[in-house]
């Protein structure tokens, strides 16, 4: 899953959200240097990633892209699924997406010191361009994919993936809804499990 889904799946605990959000930047056992709530978020993030990569519905979505995008197909589906979460946000959260994203950016600013350096580097752009809110539109997803393609030195061709999103929109959305019901349940259970261990 991409940023928005990871934040949403963290529940209501602020520091768990931050840990989940920044987890990709924390390698191996380095998570242990953070406080228990941030650790919880990092552990949850890793569990969600493993669950996602092995889920049959996610694999089905990825397979639709695999011939053209090869090992980048899972990354693209992560981004597509964030689009469907943002586009259907009212089905999952009572707080409007614009308000939710502003609250999260404020939370990041308040906890700026704990963020890894690479997160600090992209944070101003994330806030200025409101990446989380932009996921709700195809244009927003196109912008994300353009950026990802540049980071792969134009090798991935990910900037073309909105073609498949548009062509197979209903199929991807249906798969997202099936998958997201499962990952919500998994995340809730995993968070309870992690909390009982701490």
């Amino acid at each position: 899953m991409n940023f928005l889904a990871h934040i949403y799946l963290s529940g209501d605990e602020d520091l768990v959200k931050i840990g989940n959000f920044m987890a990709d930047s924390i390698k191996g056992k380095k998570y242990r240097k953070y406080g228990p709530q941030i650790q919880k978020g990092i552990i949850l993030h890793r569990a969600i990633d493993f669950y996602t990569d092995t889920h049959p519905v996610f694999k089905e979505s990825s397979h639709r892209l695999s011939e053209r995008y090869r090992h980048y197909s899972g990354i693209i589906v992560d981004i597509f699924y964030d689009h469907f979460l943002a586009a259907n946000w009212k089905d999952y959260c009572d707080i409007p997406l614009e308000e939710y994203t502003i609250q999260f950016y404020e939370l990041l600013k308040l906890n700026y010191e704990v963020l890894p350096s690479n997160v600090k580097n992209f944070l101003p752009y994330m806030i200025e361009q409101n990446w989380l809110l932009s996921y709700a539109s195809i244009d927003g997803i196109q912008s994300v994919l353009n950026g990802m393609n540049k980071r792969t030195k134009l090798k991935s061709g990910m900037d073309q993936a909105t073609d498949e999103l548009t062509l197979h929109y209903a199929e991807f959305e249906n798969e997202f809804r099936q998958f997201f019901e499962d990952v919500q349940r998994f995340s809730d259970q995993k968070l309870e499990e992690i909390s009982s261990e701490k």
Side-chain angles (χ1 to χ4, degrees):
M1 305 300 289
N2 206 43
F3 285 137
L4 183 61
H6 273 294
I7 297 161
Y8 174 80
L9 292 169
S10 299
D12 297 326
E13 297 180 61
D14 288 347
L15 293 179
V16 174
K17 287 180 184 177
I18 289 175
N20 201 337
F21 167 73
M22 70 186 204
D24 280 334
S25 302
I26 313 298
K27 303 306 178 189
K29 295 180 180 178
K30 290 182 180 177
Y31 75 94
R32 292 179 177 172
K33 73 176 186 178
Y34 294 96
Q37 292 298 91
I38 290 180
Q39 285 189 37
K40 244 191 254 186
I42 295 167
I43 293 166
L44 177 63
H45 180 108
R46 293 175 179 181
I48 289 169
D49 278 356
F50 181 79
Y51 181 84
T52 298
D53 290 343
T54 56
H55 195 285
V57 175
F58 186 87
K59 284 183 175 181
E60 191 175 337
S61 290
S62 298
H63 182 70
R64 190 176 293 114
L65 301 172
S66 60
E67 185 176 345
R68 184 172 182 184
Y69 301 102
R70 303 178 310 281
H71 59 279
Y72 295 108
S73 58
I75 299 168
I76 295 168
V77 175
D78 281 339
I79 295 165
F80 285 3
Y81 279 14
D82 252 22
H83 163 67
F84 290 113
L85 176 57
N88 298 286
W89 184 256
K90 65 182 184 303
D91 295 341
Y92 299 99
C93 186
D94 294 331
I95 303 169
L97 182 57
E98 187 168 5
E99 185 181 336
Y100 185 90
T101 61
I102 290 169
Q103 288 176 1
F104 184 68
Y105 298 143
E106 289 304 313
L107 180 63
L108 291 177
K109 290 175 189 175
L110 287 171
N111 293 275
Y112 185 79
E113 292 308 313
V114 303
L115 301 176
S117 57
N118 68 314
V119 175
K120 289 177 179 175
N121 289 339
F122 72 66
L123 188 60
Y125 305 102
M126 182 181 193
I127 294 172
E128 182 186 346
Q129 297 165 18
N130 201 343
W131 293 356
L132 298 176
L133 184 63
S134 76
Y135 295 156
S137 71
I138 300 281
D139 285 346
I141 293 302
Q142 182 65 63
S143 180
V144 173
L145 290 167
N146 288 345
M148 297 290 285
N149 190 47
K150 285 176 186 173
R151 284 194 282 282
T152 66
K153 299 181 180 176
L154 310 184
K155 291 176 185 174
S156 66
M158 290 166 75
D159 58 316
Q160 304 298 311
T162 49
D163 293 348
E164 282 83 6
L165 176 60
T166 304
L167 184 62
H168 301 287
Y169 197 90
E171 293 99 315
F172 279 122
E173 182 169 22
N174 182 52
E175 287 156 6
F176 161 76
R177 288 186 180 276
Q178 290 179 62
F179 167 77
F180 206 67
E181 188 175 322
D182 289 348
V183 78
Q184 280 182 279
R185 190 162 45 245
F186 169 80
S187 300
D188 289 345
Q189 291 170 351
K190 189 66 182 178
L191 202 47
E192 280 185 30
E193 179 187 314
I194 298 166
S195 297
S196 66
E197 291 171 356
K198 289 288 176 187

